[in-house]
Amino acid sequence: MQSQNKSKMIRLTTMALLVSMAAVLSYFERFIPVITVPGVKLGLANIFTLMALVLLSWREALLILVSRVLLVSFFAGSPISLLYSMSGGVTSLLAMYLAMKGVPRFFSYLGVSLIGAFFHNTAQTIVLGFIIGSWQVALGYYPILVLAALITGSLTGYIATHFLKHIQSMPLGKGLS
């Protein structure tokens, strides 16, 4: 019984750490002047979404994602940013989950990250179309978002792959997945 409680505590602590790290990165990446295209961010918080999906369950990864989006939107966002972030994040998480579980070991973490970035930006394009009431503008902007997804998805996938390799080699990390 004590071992089971310890395992639950480790999972809960891991979840709290992933939420806090994702929220901090999500907030601070607004101040990184690398990308000057409106609506395009590095998506560094998605590193921790992918890590949660690998280390924990789908439900725990969803809880981490929703918690992060709500926290960042509450402290530094708006209702519109909440809508964009939540739709993109949940769609991305679902796509990454299906890529990982649907065809086991077919996609690397980098590939899963690219799929997530693509679907994240696709969901945000759909939301943009509804908000501005112009599918022509939204779809005209879509190729820029797809290109951004290739770049940012590669970056976050690369970083997540290296984090996961180190975490899974640690004694506590082996007990998570």
Side-chain angles (χ1 to χ4, degrees):
M1 184 67 165
Q2 190 175 22
S3 175
Q4 190 177 25
N5 287 340
K6 183 178 178 181
S7 176
K8 285 182 182 179
M9 184 61 73
I10 290 170
R11 291 182 84 76
L12 185 61
T13 303
T14 301
M15 290 173 65
L17 287 169
L18 291 173
V19 169
S20 62
M21 290 185 294
V24 167
L25 271 181
S26 183
Y27 175 75
F28 280 109
E29 80 176 356
R30 301 165 189 254
F31 305 111
I32 300 173
V34 175
I35 301 174
T36 57
V37 178
V40 175
K41 295 182 350 181
L42 290 173
L44 297 175
N46 296 322
I47 295 166
F48 301 104
T49 302
L50 179 56
M51 289 175 60
L53 195 54
V54 171
L55 297 172
L56 304 166
S57 72
W58 149 258
R59 289 176 50 180
E60 290 166 324
L62 180 62
L63 182 60
I64 290 166
L65 172 84
V66 169
S67 300
R68 186 253 306 166
V69 169
L70 290 174
L71 276 170
V72 173
S73 294
F74 179 76
F75 287 111
S78 66
I80 296 294
S81 69
L82 172 65
L83 187 59
Y84 279 122
S85 296
M86 194 65 75
S87 63
V90 171
T91 304
S92 171
L93 180 64
L94 179 60
M96 290 191 299
Y97 173 75
L98 292 174
M100 287 176 59
K101 300 301 178 194
V103 187
R105 302 193 190 274
F106 184 76
F107 294 106
S108 66
Y109 296 141
L110 179 67
V112 171
S113 179
L114 284 165
I115 289 168
F118 173 79
F119 278 95
H120 189 280
N121 288 356
T122 300
Q124 288 187 330
T125 300
I126 293 168
V127 170
L128 175 66
F130 279 115
I131 289 174
I132 65 173
S134 172
W135 293 102
Q136 187 175 10
V137 171
L139 291 175
Y141 197 56
Y142 188 59
I144 296 168
L145 293 178
V146 170
L147 178 61
L150 288 173
I151 297 166
T152 61
S154 295
L155 175 67
T156 58
Y158 177 79
I159 294 169
T161 297
H162 288 282
F163 279 175
L164 285 163
K165 181 171 57 171
H166 292 292
I167 288 171
Q168 290 172 326
S169 69
M170 300 167 83
L172 287 177
K174 289 178 183 173
L176 288 172
S177 42

